[in-house]
Amino acid sequence: MLSETHNYEKYFAPQAVSIGPYHFGEPKLQVAEELKPIIARGLFLHDQEALISLYKKVGEEEMMKDLRSFYEPDSTTKYSDKVFLKMMLLDSYVLMSFEQVSNYGDLFLLENQIPFKLLKVVMSFLDTYYNFYKIQELVQDISLFGSSYPKRTWLKSILCIRNDWRRGQQRLELELTGDNEPDHLLHLLYLTHIPKDTEAKDLSKEYNYNNNNFPTVNQLLDVGIRFNPCDPISLNNVRFSKGWFEFSAAVQLPPITMFGDTKPLLLNLIAYETCLGKDAWFASYVCLLRSLIGNHEDFRVLKKAGVLQHAFGTDTEVMDFFNEIATDFAPRNSTYMKLKDDIQSYYEGWSNTPISELRHEYRKSPWKFISLLGASIALFLTAVQTYFPVWSRK
């Protein structure tokens, strides 16, 4: 289990509120447990009949059986239907009133989830204010990369502002229903970073890049590779593109902002994609960043490019975080193998060339390079002036 490595267990356990059966009844979470009935009364203050109808709907035999199947059998058998039903409903009310939760990160732990289908049933009995948009708002607030939708120009913003809310509402209802319905909130967060229609990568193909000798950010700058944030922001939108005549290239990466709760959030996303048994997007991206960052200067370049930001700790602490994750959770097959192969092939083709040496000298000491360039131009002009008078006399 992931939680057994380097004492990671604390990053998978809730700190303030339990959701679902895995951590239900833990003493340190009792304060929040006592608040759940109060939250429920507030939601149905003016519609007690809706509360009774909801209780009957979720308490149906088939519904209860379906909800129990969402969890490991041993985790729910000790609870009677009455206790389990109360647990499920109270926890769903908490998610509908997430503003009252002191630690949003608790709502996105792998061991702290309830089925999304239950949330949909609860939302259908609540006032229209509690809807899909409210759930998406919560997910966007805690996203690692911010909004995954394309940036809009100022003109489009002016023209579309009146219809934004309704169109957004319709889009979300379409995205969160039918085959697109997520399993739970953590799955919904996962889908905001990895679109559901993402094509599987061919990991069976052989690539030539050497992971032990992969060039760092500053080495890549020397051969003309620059770094930019990608748009739209998504883990499957990492791109390598060559410029005119292949004298330059660009790597587009999803910008990540590190907050205090980023580590547990990222670990739970890695754990979830491990359970899915699919492409290791999150672990692969952390490993990609780690391979690019060899020292503090590399880190500063990515910060200046807008690819990396952090709102806690120092650069060294963030680098140590990447080292730790990349060491413990490096996937056998990275989803970015082709990207790395393209980068390394370009680097090997341009490294140790006169152009790369000039770029290196310019970045190392711009003023010294400019002085050298000025002196070279002056020498060239002097030679031209000398050449033409000599030949003009002939």
Side-chain angles (χ1 to χ4, degrees):
M1 293 293 291
L2 291 175
S3 59
E4 295 174 355
T5 307
H6 279 97
N7 193 28
Y8 285 130
E9 185 175 355
K10 60 182 179 182
Y11 298 113
F12 295 89
Q15 303 301 309
V17 58
S18 69
I19 302 294
Y22 291 134
H23 297 276
F24 178 73
E26 292 185 4
K28 68 175 183 178
L29 306 176
Q30 286 308 300
V31 173
E33 206 63 36
E34 294 171 1
L35 291 176
K36 290 179 181 179
I38 299 176
I39 294 174
R41 286 195 292 270
L43 288 176
F44 293 94
L45 183 62
H46 303 294
D47 196 350
Q48 292 294 312
E49 291 185 4
L51 178 60
I52 296 173
S53 299
L54 175 60
Y55 189 89
K56 293 180 178 179
K57 172 69 176 177
V58 179
E60 293 176 357
E61 183 178 352
E62 284 300 314
M63 184 70 170
M64 290 292 289
K65 184 179 179 180
D66 192 25
L67 292 177
R68 285 182 181 273
S69 68
F70 186 80
Y71 303 98
E72 291 292 329
D74 294 342
S75 66
T76 63
T77 52
K78 58 184 176 181
Y79 302 117
S80 65
D81 282 348
K82 183 178 180 180
V83 173
F84 186 72
L85 173 59
K86 181 180 178 182
M87 178 202 307
M88 291 287 100
L89 287 175
L90 289 179
D91 290 349
S92 65
Y93 303 153
V94 169
L95 296 182
M96 293 295 98
S97 302
F98 64 86
E99 301 95 335
Q100 301 185 47
V101 177
S102 60
N103 186 352
Y104 285 4
D106 280 355
L107 307 182
F108 294 90
L109 302 178
L110 182 58
E111 299 177 356
N112 219 35
Q113 300 295 313
I114 58 175
F116 195 84
K117 62 176 64 179
L118 173 61
L119 293 181
K120 286 179 59 180
V121 172
V122 173
M123 282 189 282
S124 68
F125 281 85
L126 287 171
D127 186 271
T128 54
Y129 175 73
Y130 299 95
N131 50 30
F132 294 103
Y133 197 83
K134 188 176 178 67
I135 293 294
Q136 185 71 358
E137 181 184 70
L138 169 62
V139 173
Q140 291 293 346
D141 283 346
I142 204 164
S143 173
L144 292 174
F145 305 134
S147 175
S148 58
Y149 297 108
K151 295 179 181 178
R152 180 184 294 154
T153 64
W154 67 271
L155 179 59
K156 288 182 179 179
S157 297
I158 294 175
L159 295 175
C160 297
I161 191 169
R162 293 182 60 187
N163 296 321
D164 260 4
W165 186 87
R166 183 57 192 160
R167 288 179 179 175
Q169 187 76 4
Q170 293 172 343
R171 184 190 67 239
L172 291 173
E173 290 181 7
L174 179 63
E175 290 180 351
L176 305 182
T177 56
D179 293 338
N180 295 321
E181 181 178 293
D183 296 332
H184 42 65
L185 278 190
L186 182 62
H187 186 198
L188 179 57
L189 179 64
Y190 176 87
L191 293 176
T192 64
H193 298 84
I194 312 294
K196 197 163 187 177
D197 58 354
T198 297
E199 294 182 2
K201 304 295 181 180
D202 182 10
L203 301 181
S204 62
K205 183 178 178 180
E206 292 293 332
Y207 293 100
N208 297 319
Y209 83 91
N210 184 351
N211 198 44
N212 296 322
N213 194 32
F214 192 73
T216 61
V217 168
N218 276 276
Q219 289 176 313
L220 294 175
L221 288 177
D222 287 343
V223 298
I225 296 180
R226 63 188 185 278
F227 296 86
N228 301 309
C230 64
D231 184 24
I233 302 172
S234 173
L235 282 177
N236 72 331
N237 196 30
V238 176
R239 300 178 184 276
F240 172 80
S241 57
K242 297 177 182 179
W244 287 358
F245 305 108
E246 299 189 4
F247 283 118
S248 64
V251 176
Q252 295 181 335
L253 301 170
I256 180 172
T257 301
M258 308 293 295
F259 293 100
D261 57 358
T262 299
K263 185 172 183 177
L265 188 62
L266 189 53
L267 285 171
N268 278 270
L269 286 167
I270 291 174
Y272 179 63
E273 68 181 2
T274 301
C275 293
L276 291 177
K278 296 182 179 180
D279 293 342
W281 288 100
F282 289 93
S284 295
Y285 188 60
V286 171
C287 291
L288 173 63
L289 292 176
R290 172 61 189 89
S291 63
L292 289 169
I293 301 172
N295 52 46
H296 287 80
E297 185 57 34
D298 295 324
F299 189 90
R300 283 191 286 269
V301 170
L302 292 182
K303 283 178 63 177
K304 186 176 181 180
V307 173
L308 273 178
Q309 299 295 332
H310 65 89
F312 81 99
T314 63
D315 290 357
T316 300
E317 290 174 328
V318 177
M319 289 173 63
D320 290 341
F321 166 72
F322 284 137
N323 287 334
E324 181 181 328
I325 300 298
T327 299
D328 291 336
F329 304 109
R332 293 182 179 179
N333 294 311
S334 171
T335 56
Y336 301 116
M337 287 194 292
K338 184 180 185 306
L339 174 79
K340 288 186 173 183
D341 188 63
D342 290 342
I343 291 175
Q344 190 155 38
S345 295
Y346 185 91
Y347 172 76
E348 291 174 353
W350 283 98
S351 62
N352 299 320
T353 63
I355 293 179
S356 68
E357 293 295 334
L358 285 173
R359 283 196 179 108
H360 177 75
E361 289 301 322
Y362 172 74
R363 293 193 314 101
K364 182 179 178 181
S365 180
W367 289 111
K368 182 179 178 180
F369 177 83
I370 293 173
S371 299
L372 177 62
L373 182 62
S376 300
I377 294 174
L379 183 62
F380 173 75
L381 293 176
T382 301
V384 170
Q385 288 177 336
T386 304
Y387 175 83
F388 279 104
V390 171
W391 282 93
S392 63
R393 289 196 292 269
K394 294 183 180 182

